[in-house]
Amino acid sequence: MSDTKAISKRDFLRKSVLTGAGAVGATALATPYVKAQAPIKWRLQTYAGPALADHVCKPGVEAFNKAAHGEMEIEMYTADQLVPQGELFRAVQSGTLDAAQSDDDSAAAPVDVKVFGAYFPLASRYSLDVPALWHWHGLKEIWEEAYAEIPGVTWLSSGAWDPCNFGTTKPIKSIDDLKGLRVYTFPTGGQFLSRFGVVPVTLPYEDVEVALQTGELDGVCWCGITEMHTVGWANALKYFLTNPLSGAWAGSYFVNTDKWKAVPEHLQTLFMMAIDTSHYYRQHWYWAGEAKYRNEGKLELTTVPADQWKQVEDEATKFWDEIASQSPRSAKVVEIIKKYNESMVKAGAPYRYS
């Protein structure tokens, strides 16, 4: 074999390698553009109206969309925008929605533990009680077990919102003042408060302020004072009762199971981080607002004496026992809540003050 031919072969191999490397480089450069052409699109509806959603849901969604870098985009919709609140869970199950942010109770989740979503009467004192119960006292595993029995929906995470207090057009200064009050509240809250003569009223969320103005409602027992101001209800209210029905709302994120499984693992991880971002933002936003709006004085603060309010607290424990009798799993949740509160009382300040 001549040197000329050998050199030609070497040149050929060298040129082939260079050409191949160039082709690989071109493909690598083109890859981001291919991904950007077809992002995964999701529709998420929150329980919250537009003004409130800016704080309880939007920060997490915006953080996710930014960090997903074009691979996935979540479109956020507010209360009743695509489906009524009472049909929210079924909409996720059917695939009409890809995800939802709500409490189990008002979304009509078909599980026995839904009664513990939103505000389970007097179960918590502070917003940190909720993540403590879920992450460190076993409620997370119970929720995973409960929702594993429901086809089509995957429960992802629960977090805390604001406390639940009465905002009213009439002052509440004693237990007797609750009798006959027409109040907008959540399902389980209405069931409990009716024991004290409260008349629960069901209305679309966006109709509440007008109903307060016209006298159709005497008040709300749906949120804390931060939310009353944020959504405009404080404009139609006059009084705020400082005795809480509960120290924190417990809300969750739900996703359609098939849609969730189709999301790459790194985006699933990113979505869970965005949920945690949402949980954290609410913790400090609500906490700061509860003090701020009480001090501003737009609503007159009233308080039922502690000896009278103890009647509500005692009735709550009876209510817990009734709920516990509904299923073995409900009984397990009630037992965890009881033991948790006992441990907080035993721990003393700042966990519980006498």
Side-chain angles (χ1 to χ4, degrees):
M1 183 179 293
S2 69
D3 289 343
T4 304
K5 287 185 177 179
I7 292 170
S8 296
K9 285 181 179 178
R10 285 197 296 271
D11 288 343
F12 173 78
L13 290 172
R14 182 176 62 81
K15 289 177 180 177
S16 296
V17 171
L18 290 172
T19 303
V24 170
T27 303
L29 287 171
T31 300
Y33 296 98
V34 172
K35 286 184 179 179
Q37 287 171 9
I40 299 168
K41 292 260 189 181
W42 267 23
R43 300 198 301 176
L44 178 153
Q45 183 171 307
T46 174
Y47 77 97
L52 187 62
D54 281 353
H55 294 282
V56 303
C57 191
K58 190 176 180 180
V61 170
E62 287 185 336
F64 176 86
N65 287 341
K66 185 175 182 179
H69 201 57
E71 292 185 68
M72 184 170 170
E73 182 182 351
I74 297 174
E75 297 174 349
M76 186 192 78
Y77 295 88
T78 55
D80 304 313
Q81 196 171 356
L82 296 181
V83 299
Q85 175 65 17
E87 299 174 18
L88 193 57
F89 191 90
R90 296 296 186 187
V92 174
Q93 192 173 38
S94 67
T96 302
L97 294 170
D98 303 296
Q101 180 209 46
S102 178
D103 67 279
D104 321 57
D105 199 18
S106 67
V111 290
D112 49 0
V113 295
K114 75 172 183 178
V115 69
F116 302 103
Y119 298 106
F120 193 54
L122 280 301
S124 62
R125 184 71 62 88
Y126 306 116
S127 58
L128 281 173
D129 289 337
V130 170
L133 280 163
W134 258 263
H135 291 288
W136 299 101
H137 292 267
L139 293 195
K140 176 177 180 288
E141 289 73 20
I142 292 175
W143 257 244
E144 289 173 340
E145 174 190 272
Y147 282 99
E149 299 171 1
I150 307 300
V153 176
T154 298
W155 170 87
L156 293 183
S157 178
S158 289
W161 271 249
D162 53 340
C164 185
N165 297 74
F166 279 91
T168 55
T169 57
K170 304 174 182 178
I172 301 174
K173 297 182 179 180
S174 71
I175 296 295
D176 289 341
D177 291 334
L178 297 174
K179 293 177 182 177
L181 284 181
R182 294 162 298 176
V183 173
Y184 175 70
T185 188
F186 52 99
T188 301
Q191 182 184 348
F192 175 70
L193 290 171
S194 62
R195 299 177 179 218
F196 300 95
V198 171
V199 180
V201 178
T202 301
L203 287 171
Y205 186 87
E206 64 272 15
D207 293 345
V208 172
E209 186 174 354
V210 173
L212 289 167
Q213 292 169 345
T214 60
E216 184 181 352
L217 284 175
D218 298 310
V220 298
C221 189
W222 176 267
C223 57
I225 200 169
T226 305
E227 192 164 317
M228 290 177 195
H229 282 74
T230 302
V231 304
W233 294 347
N235 298 328
L237 297 169
K238 294 181 180 179
Y239 304 95
F240 179 84
L241 181 65
T242 61
N243 308 78
L245 181 65
S246 179
W249 193 79
S252 294
Y253 281 80
F254 307 91
V255 292
N256 178 277
T257 301
D258 289 340
K259 297 291 184 65
W260 180 242
K261 289 179 178 178
V263 173
E265 186 177 5
H266 71 287
L267 290 177
Q268 287 185 350
T269 301
L270 183 62
F271 188 57
M272 295 302 296
M273 292 172 68
I275 288 174
D276 283 342
T277 295
S278 180
H279 289 333
Y280 175 64
Y281 179 94
R282 287 192 315 274
Q283 285 275 357
H284 58 74
W285 179 68
Y286 272 124
W287 184 257
E290 293 305 303
K292 171 188 174 182
Y293 291 114
R294 286 192 188 198
N295 291 331
E296 285 188 358
K298 185 172 184 177
L299 299 181
E300 182 180 333
L301 306 182
T302 64
T303 302
V304 172
D307 59 336
Q308 286 191 41
W309 194 252
K310 192 175 184 305
Q311 297 175 40
V312 179
E313 295 172 344
D314 291 344
E315 193 64 32
T317 57
K318 295 177 186 177
F319 182 74
W320 295 359
D321 290 337
E322 292 172 16
I323 296 299
S325 68
Q326 294 181 2
S327 73
R329 190 156 50 212
S330 294
K332 190 175 180 180
V333 174
V334 168
E335 185 62 22
I336 288 172
I337 290 172
K338 284 184 176 181
K339 286 183 177 179
Y340 175 79
N341 277 284
E342 287 170 3
S343 71
M344 295 295 101
V345 171
K346 186 177 180 180
Y351 301 97
R352 295 292 185 269
Y353 291 91
S354 58

